[in-house]
Amino acid sequence: MMRRLVAGLAGVSMALWVSACATSTAVHLGDTVEDVRARQGEPVAIYQLAKGQRLLYRPQPGQVQSLDFDASGKLVGMEQVLTEQRLGAIVAGQWRATDVQQTFGPPARRASEGEQGSVWTYFFQSYGTHRRARIFLDAAGVVLRVDFADDPAADLRYR
């Protein structure tokens, strides 16, 4: 009796695992752009790179997955880019608005500061804490500074 129960549970588990794999949206190095778009749908943004292209996806609120493809259309790199470490690597005076957008995608919010420039806001999670990064740009689109804070409206945004 117990053996039948265990065998039955094992069979059900295997069937669930196989069906999950068949419908997986996971991507792997070497996948083509077409394969990824067929599984993941349309990206949030597409950028041309010197030797290929970058597709950005938002799998969940507070996440941006960057997928880099070579000139032949094969996936050669992937990374979760909305992290405090990655956002903290932005160098004031060296990064421009185009660098920020090609790395992290379109910001969640853009606020104009008139002739002084603008502030772009990105929301993300860091070790279970909802955070925000504000990137201050001058009128020419050069990064002036980046600041981080806990996100005061997180429970509204991540439901």
Side-chain angles (χ1 to χ4, degrees), residues 27 30 39 45 58 70 93 131 134 136 151-152:
V27 296
R39 275 188 246 131
R58 283 198 177 112
D70 64 15
R131 306 273 292 156
R134 292 186 308 169
F136 294 80
D151 182 3

Side-chain angles (χ1 to χ4, degrees), residues 63-93:
Q63 292 185 355
V64 171
Q65 185 179 32
S66 174
L67 304 176
D68 288 349
F69 295 85
D70 64 15
S72 70
K74 299 279 186 189
L75 182 62
V76 294
M78 55 186 158
E79 176 184 15
Q80 162 56 23
V81 294
L82 279 187
T83 66
E84 193 152 354
Q85 178 180 9
R86 202 70 169 93
L87 288 156
I90 296 171
V91 180

Side-chain angles (χ1 to χ4, degrees), residues 102-133:
Q102 286 184 0
T103 303
F104 304 105
R109 288 193 189 140
R110 289 179 201 216
S112 176
E113 301 243 323
E115 294 178 12
Q116 296 179 355
S118 60
V119 179
W120 292 7
T121 304
Y122 290 87
F123 299 99
F124 63 99
Q125 292 185 44
S126 181
Y127 301 104
T129 301
H130 298 290
R131 306 273 292 156
R132 73 168 183 227

Side-chain angles (χ1 to χ4, degrees), residues 21-98:
C21 290
T23 60
S24 175
T25 59
V27 296
H28 308 292
L29 295 177
D31 287 352
T32 65
V33 172
E34 294 79 20
D35 292 340
V36 170
R37 290 178 86 167
R39 275 188 246 131
Q40 302 274 47
E42 288 303 308
V44 172
I46 301 172
Y47 299 103
Q48 291 303 217
L49 304 174
K51 295 181 180 178
Q53 67 178 340
R54 174 172 292 152
L55 275 58
L56 297 176
Y57 286 93
R58 283 198 177 112
Q60 302 180 43
Q63 292 185 355
V64 171
Q65 185 179 32
S66 174
L67 304 176
D68 288 349
F69 295 85
D70 64 15
S72 70
K74 299 279 186 189
L75 182 62
V76 294
M78 55 186 158
E79 176 184 15
Q80 162 56 23
V81 294
L82 279 187
T83 66
E84 193 152 354
Q85 178 180 9
R86 202 70 169 93
L87 288 156
I90 296 171
V91 180
Q94 293 181 14
W95 281 57
R96 301 186 57 76
T98 53

